[in-house]
């Protein structure tokens, strides 16, 4: 079978690289950030709007679309691209991550995962074969193998057992795949244990995948641990294949991961933060609800070229946010996504011009990341809110 994906690297600076990923629905210049269209929608925006901001590829969540509208409806309507009118490249996850984080009463065996829908409590079974079948109904260009995740940091034995299962499932996903116009990625697991990561990658290479997801990072471990593991993985992963770091999207994490040779990212962070009042600026994220913005006539980020900053004052955003206006969600999402696309655009230019290290250093010297405590606290709040929604 001809290769569904082509990946060519056109420039490198250290481990960082700029490449072109060619999919059945078009090209993506990497490193690239995929906004998350959880329910076949990047919340508050149309596909045209996301594309105009600079998105070349979107991610949609199999778990949510499996529950609603369901794979049969999706197949009948011609798949995701057509359903949501997004003509460009897409990737779907396997559904695993949401099952473990949202599902009630998850029961995992070597055969499959049984879970209860967070919507109505109905019982569902996801096996490697079914994860592939559902993703074939959705029709994304890249689909992901079903994996077994452990909350991090986990004990060695726990990570090892999950890894063994993930590898068996990866082979079953490969065997279950029927469509010739989708590329299946394997997912490197193994937590923070280098020997398990090595074992994972070697076994996946033996099965043979056109690209690799890096799973099990940014799931509760410290940033130092995450960056350390990315550096080790760069040496282990095959150089000529695309690497996709799952669930990472803060500016500082993106730059560190690019510096360690990562090509693809997805994360709900920019859009979710936007809706909660946190907007990116070159000096760090700001809380637009703060009184300081009540009368600020200039845009929230005067250096930004997004439609929001071009037309509206920080004072207007402050007012809309505090009033709970729906327009706020749109304007804030436009801004945060554009910030991330510009960051990646600048990173790619810096790699091409052989000055990525300086670019990263200069950006991080100005940009203050949310502190580790703020990050942990935020995570706790979202999880608590999710608990409320589930019950
Ligand atoms: Zn803006």
């Amino acid at each position: 079978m001809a290769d569904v994906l082509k990946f060519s690297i056109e420039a490198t600076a250290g481990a960082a690289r700029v490449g072109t990923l060619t999919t059945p629905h078009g090209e993506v210049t990497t490193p690239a950030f995929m906004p998350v269209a959880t329910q076949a929608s990047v919340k508050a925006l149309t596909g045209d709007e996301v594309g105009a901001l600079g998105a070349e590829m979107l991610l949609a969540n199999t778990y949510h679309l499996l529950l609603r509208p369901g794979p049969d409806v999706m197949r009948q309507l011609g798949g995701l691209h057509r359903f949501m009118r997004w003509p460009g490249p897409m990737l779907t996850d396997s559904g695993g991550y949401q099952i473990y984080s949202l599902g009630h009463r998850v029961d995992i065996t070597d055969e499959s995962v049984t879970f209860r829908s967070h919507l109505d409590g109905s019982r569902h079974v996801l096996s490697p074969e079914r994860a592939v079948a559902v993703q074939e109904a959705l029709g994304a260009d890249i689909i992901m193998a079903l994996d077994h995740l452990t909350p991090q940091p986990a004990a060695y034995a726990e990570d090892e057992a999950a890894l063994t299962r993930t590898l068996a499932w990866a082979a079953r996903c490969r065997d279950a795949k029927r469509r010739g116009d989708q590329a299946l990625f394997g997912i490197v697991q193994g937590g923070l244990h280098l020997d398990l990561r090595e074992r994972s990658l070697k076994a996946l290479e033996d099965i043979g995948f056109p690209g690799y997801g890096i799973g099990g990072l940014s799931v509760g471990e410290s940033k130092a641990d995450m960056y350390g593991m990315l550096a080790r993985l760069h040496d282990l992963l095959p150089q000529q294949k695309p690497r996709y770091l799952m669930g990472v999207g803060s500016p500082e994490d993106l730059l560190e991961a690019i510096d360690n040779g990562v090509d693809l990212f997805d994360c709900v962070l920019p859009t979710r933060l936007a809706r909660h009042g946190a907007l990116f600026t070159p000096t760090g994220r700001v809380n637009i609800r703060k009184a300081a913005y009540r009368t600020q006539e200039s845009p929230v980020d005067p250096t930004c070229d997004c439609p929001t900053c071009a037309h509206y004052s920080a004072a207007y955003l402050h007012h809309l946010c505090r009033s709970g206006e729906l327009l706020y969600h749109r304007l804030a999402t436009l801004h945060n996504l554009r910030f991330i696309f510009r960051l990646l655009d600048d990173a790619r230019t810096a790699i091409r011009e052989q000055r990525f290290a300086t670019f990263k250093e200069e950006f991080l010297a100005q940009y203050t990341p949310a502190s580790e405590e703020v990050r942990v606290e935020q995570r706790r709040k979202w999880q608590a809110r999710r608990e409320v929604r589930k019950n």
Side-chain angles (χ1 to χ4, degrees):
M1 195 193 305
D3 285 346
V4 177
L5 286 188
K6 284 197 182 70
F7 183 58
S8 59
I9 296 171
E10 63 176 76
T12 57
R17 61 240 208 118
V18 170
T20 303
L21 183 65
T22 308
T23 79
H25 286 86
E27 290 186 349
V28 182
T29 308
T30 61
F33 178 80
M34 298 179 279
V36 180
T38 308
Q39 321 250 18
S41 137
V42 176
K43 290 190 196 310
L45 303 185
T46 64
D48 285 349
E49 288 170 323
V50 184
L53 292 172
E56 291 187 318
M57 186 165 188
L58 300 184
L59 175 142
N61 290 128
T62 294
Y63 170 86
H64 291 284
L65 297 169
L66 160 69
L67 297 180
R68 184 177 57 195
D72 296 339
V73 170
M74 200 58 91
R75 200 177 290 112
Q76 200 181 323
L77 295 176
L80 260 179
H81 291 91
R82 204 170 142 196
F83 185 52
M84 63 182 288
R85 295 290 190 269
W86 170 259
M90 290 198 80
L91 182 151
T92 46
D93 59 11
S94 68
Y97 181 80
Q98 272 80 23
I99 291 174
Y100 306 125
S101 63
L102 281 176
H104 301 263
R105 285 169 285 169
V106 177
D107 184 25
I108 309 174
T109 66
D110 287 340
E111 181 50 34
S112 60
V113 191
T114 305
F115 64 98
R116 299 273 174 184
S117 158
H118 74 290
L119 297 173
D120 59 7
S122 57
R123 185 175 167 279
H124 297 263
V125 178
L126 198 65
S127 61
E129 292 76 14
R130 179 142 165 84
V132 168
V134 174
Q135 291 185 85
E136 291 192 335
L138 297 175
D141 303 82
I142 298 178
I143 65 176
M144 302 300 294
L146 182 67
D147 55 354
H148 179 189
L149 291 180
T150 45
Q152 291 298 315
Y156 185 89
E158 215 180 318
D159 276 329
E160 188 177 28
L163 175 61
T164 303
R165 183 170 281 156
T166 293
L167 293 174
W169 287 0
R172 281 169 58 188
C173 283
R174 195 247 351 240
D175 294 343
K177 190 172 170 301
R178 293 290 171 268
R179 280 181 67 156
D181 58 349
Q182 294 180 302
L184 172 70
F185 278 21
I187 302 178
V188 183
Q189 290 289 2
L192 296 174
H193 316 289
L194 190 62
D195 65 318
L196 292 185
R197 290 277 176 183
E198 277 175 21
R199 195 197 299 177
S200 171
L201 187 59
K202 185 162 182 339
L204 292 176
E205 284 190 89
D206 288 344
I207 300 169
F209 290 98
Y212 295 92
I214 301 170
L217 288 180
S218 193
V219 289
E221 80 283 7
S222 73
K223 283 187 185 266
D225 282 345
M226 177 169 99
Y227 299 158
M229 183 50 78
L230 283 176
R232 314 295 282 276
L233 284 174
H234 167 67
D235 297 327
L236 298 173
L237 286 159
Q239 296 296 320
Q240 300 307 320
K241 291 194 175 169
R243 299 107 171 247
Y244 157 38
L245 179 56
M246 307 167 76
V248 164
S250 71
E252 68 277 15
D253 288 351
L254 289 170
L255 292 186
E256 290 292 349
I258 289 171
D259 206 8
N260 285 297
V262 175
D263 306 300
L264 273 179
F265 301 91
D266 82 284
C267 195
V268 294
L269 189 83
T271 45
R272 182 184 281 167
L273 282 177
R275 298 194 303 277
H276 288 90
L279 301 181
F280 292 128
T281 77
T283 54
R285 56 169 97 141
V286 300
N287 181 353
I288 195 68
R289 306 179 69 93
K290 279 194 175 163
Y293 295 103
R294 201 159 63 91
T295 56
Q296 183 181 316
E297 283 204 81
S298 55
V300 65
D301 173 7
T303 70
C304 180
D305 64 358
C306 84
T308 302
C309 293
H311 293 97
Y312 302 105
S313 64
Y316 187 53
L317 292 181
H318 168 88
H319 162 73
L320 293 180
C321 183
R322 294 190 75 110
S323 311
E325 282 296 321
L326 294 179
L327 179 59
Y328 169 76
H329 286 188
R330 287 180 44 73
L331 297 181
T333 304
L334 287 167
H335 169 76
N336 268 8
L337 281 180
R338 181 62 194 149
F339 184 90
I340 296 295
F341 291 133
R342 277 178 75 209
L343 178 67
L344 264 71
D345 209 12
D346 291 347
R348 290 190 297 261
T349 304
I351 295 168
R352 288 193 184 103
E353 294 175 356
Q354 299 295 313
R355 52 175 181 82
F356 182 73
T358 318
F359 165 75
K360 182 182 112 178
E361 213 170 276
E362 283 173 5
F363 178 88
L364 294 177
Q366 268 202 68
Y367 186 89
T368 309
S371 72
E372 196 85 348
E373 299 85 79
V374 171
R375 213 164 61 95
V376 169
E377 175 59 16
Q378 198 161 44
R379 204 181 163 77
R380 196 194 57 73
K381 271 196 218 156
W382 286 338
Q383 269 159 357
R385 205 173 299 134
R386 258 191 336 218
E387 288 301 319
V388 172
R389 241 188 277 145
K390 276 192 321 197
N391 297 319

